Amino acid sequence: MIVLGIETSCDETAAAIVESGSSIKSSIVASQVSVHHTFGGVVPELASRMHMEAIVPVVEKCLDEAGLTVSEIDAVAATQGPGLAGALLVGFCFAKALAFTSGKPLVGVDHLEGHLQTVSIDSKQPCFPMIGLLASGGHTGIYYLKSQGDYQLLGQTRDDAAGEAYDKVAKMLGLGYPGGAVIDDLAHQGNPEAIYFKRPYVDKQAYDFSFSGIKTAVMRYLQSCPKIDHSHRADIAAGFQEAVVDVLVYKVLHAAKKKNCSQIAVVGGVAANKRLRTKLSEAASREKLTLRIPPLSLCGDNAAMIAAVGYHNLKAGKGASLDADAYSRQIRPKL
Ligand code: KG4
Ligand code: ZN
């Protein structure tokens, strides 16, 4: 079954064609980052308007690269939520129109489930049960993945998402938006032990996170330094990153132990983080756990993950009707 996936929940207009939920035929991502960069964050209305401009060319390019026409697609899947309402509506309504005019089934996909699916795309081995850490700009949570589509949320952030903390700290350091990858690079030039930021574990037994305190700690530290040069800035980035990564790694290992799970995964934009990837793989080999990390192309928002979940939803008889609504908040009980 060939599924066309569409993703427009935030600031990436993406389309992908995936066969049988695992073989990516084409995947196009048009990023709006250069525009939102000027404003230091995503401007929702601008995002919707840019999706409007990009959606047709992106889908056309995606079909082109796969060498397929709409009539050769078996279903249309689109992100239904959560995300920016206006942005979601562009992709979801486009998918509805395409499904309606082509007579193909429509599938609504949860964006978070999409991220969690990225470790199973292209994977030959069964991936369940597994502990999945989803860390992105909008969400940070730990899931117990029992089987395809049967996911239990164990804990999530009580305030900022991990990626959001990266973005805010980057802004404080004058590094622009988005800040995750910039801090990641800068941190490698610094000493992670030079400045210690308290690890926000919340409760070591719980799976919840809290990243707003560490952001404030960085701000206070910066206020106490009248002048900072490049190497000092790199030390701050490294110290901040080490604190965030330590907490993420601790919670994943804790969940794996409690749930007696031998497979762990990290997905979402922050899964691209080099320090997190290194520390998690060190911890996994120490604890004899199998670590699954998606390729960099599937860490950030993309439509291949939406098409892949769309395939599984359709197989499970979970198609969407043409009057289905998009949802901006995390309303699904399990996700
Ligand atoms: O998954 P994603 O593309 O979009 C959301 O669903 O939010 O994640 C974007 C987030 C941003 O906050 C960005 O700063 C962060 O992922 N990010 C990183 C890295 N690359 C992107 N954070 C840490 N290290 C990175 N290398
Ligand atoms: Zn995302």
Side-chain angles (χ1 to χ4, degrees), residues 8 79 84-94 325-326:
T8 63
T79 306
L84 301 170
L88 284 166
L89 285 173
V90 176
F92 199 50
C93 288
F94 182 89
D325 200 1

Side-chain angles (χ1 to χ4, degrees), residues 111 115 136-138 163-164 166-167 178-181 184 268-270 272-273 299-301:
H111 182 80
H115 275 301
S136 70
E164 191 180 353
Y166 265 92
D167 293 337
D184 192 359
V270 181
N273 187 270
C299 288
D301 287 347

Side-chain angles (χ1 to χ4, degrees), residues 6 46 96 99 123 205:
I6 292 170
L46 211 50
K96 280 187 183 188
S123 162
Q205 289 310 308

